Each structure stands twice: as C-alpha cells, then as structure tokens.
Amino acid sequence: MSLAESDRYAITRLPMTVKNCANGQDVAREGDISTQCILVLDGYLFRHKLANGSQRQIMSFHVPGDIPDLQTLHLPKLDHTVTALGGTVIAFIPHAAFKDMLEGSPRLTHVFWRESLVDAAIFREWVINGRRDAISRVAHMICELMVRLQAVGLARDMAFTIPWTQSDVADAAGISTVHTNRVIQELRRLGLLEWDSRLIQIRNWEGLATLGDFSDDYLHLRKSEATSVASALS
C-alpha cells in the first residue's frame, strides 16, 4: 500500500526531537514509562533484557525507518531496554501527536498496526531460531538483516555494514563469545561470506539461507510501503 500525499504530509508534520546516541547508550530502559516513540534515522538499535540479573539476551536489531517501541502507544511501561549499536541518530515522536495523526487517517492506522504485527512475527521467528544450532542461528540473523536493509535501500551488492562485536552476536544468538568466533570462522571457511570487522559481504546467498533455514515470509515485506513510510518519517 503506497501512502497518499495527504498521509505523507501528515507524517512530515509530526514533531520530532532528533538525538545523536553513542555506542552502548540506552535510549529507553526497562521500567520506564514512555511518552514518546523512537524512530531510527541512522544506524542501529537493539532490544535486550537481562536473565539472572547479568546475562544479556538481545531480542532484535533495528534499522533506519524502524520504530522499535511502537507498542508504547498503548503499553507505555517498557519491559525491555533499547540501546544504540554504534553511533546512532534517532528521533523522539510524542505519543499525543502520533495518536492524533493516526486518528485522522485510517490508512496510516492500518500501516502502523501492520508494522506492530510484523514486529510480533519477527519475535516469533527469533524464538524458533533458538531451536536451531549455533551456526544456523547466526546465518539466519545475517540473512534477516540483509533482507531488511535491502528493503530500505541500505544493502547493495549483497553487503552491509553493522558495528556489532562478537559479544553482541553471541548475546543475540544465545551462545558464548568463544563459540561465536568459531561460527564466524566456519562461515568463512564454507565460502558463504566475508566478515571483515563491520563489513559483511555475502558470497553465497543460497548456501547461507539454506544453512540458516531462512525464508523471508515472516517479514511480510512490501518494499514500496516500507520505503515510503521510512522516507516520509526520515
């Protein structure tokens, strides 16, 4: 569904406060009562929780155009923390203005409700990803990021950059940092990708997707809609 000009205009009228975030900076913390939504303008955010008070589990990564806390429009108390991955630029959108916009446009209400449903589908896929072996989990995460970044024009020639560390990958895959290093080396050895610090270059998409048991069906991508919303917001 492409946005009508009136809807694009309504989005551009939203009041936004832009903020630069440093790597590792929390932009919303578990237990906070939110009065605004977070829009990723540049860089990455991730959502995470702590198990047993110290073991971090990363539950999702967020790319430009994402609003990772859209649910706070109706569930304002955060049950997880949102943190910057590398230098990130975000915008805060007040809930009141966001709700006024949605009340004035059934089409935008549909678009953003759909975004919440896709977000839930991604969570379900991450849950089942925990049943795959370690190398498949990491392969699946890389495939997902590639497809999502392609949808917003930020991955070309099967390559993208992301400022994560092996510790970040480990916490997203639920494995140790040492095991993560072994997985990366095996992915390289198999000729599936090149992993050079922040740059990931996929050399064999079919092989990587097969290894990761990856299908993008759960992302429910409509490229034109994703691009139009992201471009209007940013």
Side-chain angles (χ1 to χ4, degrees):
M1 178 190 296
S2 297
L3 295 183
E5 190 60 35
S6 59
D7 291 326
R8 293 179 63 86
Y9 178 72
I11 291 174
T12 64
R13 296 279 294 172
L14 284 171
M16 299 187 189
T17 303
V18 177
K19 180 178 180 179
N20 292 293
C21 301
N23 180 44
Q25 181 176 348
D26 293 339
V27 299
R29 294 186 178 91
E30 184 173 2
D32 286 353
I33 303 298
S34 179
T35 59
Q36 54 196 353
C37 286
I38 302 163
L39 166 66
V40 186
L41 296 176
D42 186 50
Y44 296 88
L45 296 177
F46 64 92
R47 289 189 276 194
H48 62 102
K49 289 177 70 76
L50 293 178
N52 300 320
S54 61
Q55 295 177 303
R56 184 179 67 165
Q57 177 66 52
I58 292 177
M59 301 177 293
S60 59
F61 292 105
H62 294 277
V63 306
D66 283 358
I67 303 176
D69 60 345
L70 196 57
Q71 79 282 353
T72 62
L73 285 171
H74 301 287
L75 303 173
K77 186 172 183 178
L78 268 292
D79 60 11
H80 59 274
T81 298
V82 183
T83 301
L85 182 66
T88 306
V89 183
I90 62 173
F92 292 110
I93 306 171
H95 284 172
F98 209 134
K99 288 178 179 178
D100 285 346
M101 178 190 73
L102 295 179
E103 287 174 3
S105 172
R107 181 186 295 260
L108 285 177
T109 299
H110 166 81
V111 167
F112 285 103
W113 172 234
R114 184 178 185 278
E115 288 300 301
S116 293
L117 295 176
V118 172
D119 195 43
I122 292 173
F123 268 127
R124 288 192 292 272
E125 188 66 22
W126 275 58
V127 170
I128 197 63
N129 202 31
R131 300 296 291 177
R132 300 181 176 107
D133 60 23
I135 194 169
S136 297
R137 289 180 224 170
V138 175
H140 192 282
M141 283 193 296
I142 293 170
C143 289
E144 179 185 296
L145 282 167
M146 173 60 73
V147 171
R148 291 173 63 197
L149 288 167
Q150 283 178 327
V152 292
L154 294 175
R156 296 179 176 85
D157 301 321
M158 300 305 290
F160 64 91
T161 59
I162 181 169
W164 58 14
T165 65
Q166 289 190 16
S167 178
D168 297 323
V169 178
D171 288 350
I175 58 179
S176 70
T177 303
V178 171
H179 198 174
T180 298
N181 183 265
R182 294 194 192 103
V183 165
I184 293 170
Q185 296 306 320
E186 183 65 8
L187 290 170
R188 288 171 172 155
R189 189 192 67 78
L190 293 171
L192 298 177
L193 52 74
E194 294 178 13
W195 193 316
D196 182 14
S197 185
R198 298 183 174 193
L199 176 64
I200 293 178
Q201 174 74 61
I202 296 176
R203 293 302 184 190
N204 181 348
W205 172 259
E206 292 300 327
L208 189 68
T210 298
L211 178 62
D213 188 28
F214 178 80
S215 165
D216 65 8
D217 289 349
Y218 71 98
L219 297 173
H220 301 281
L221 286 173
R222 295 176 182 170
K223 189 172 181 180
S224 60
E225 180 176 291
T227 303
S228 61
V229 171
S231 61
L233 282 167
S234 56

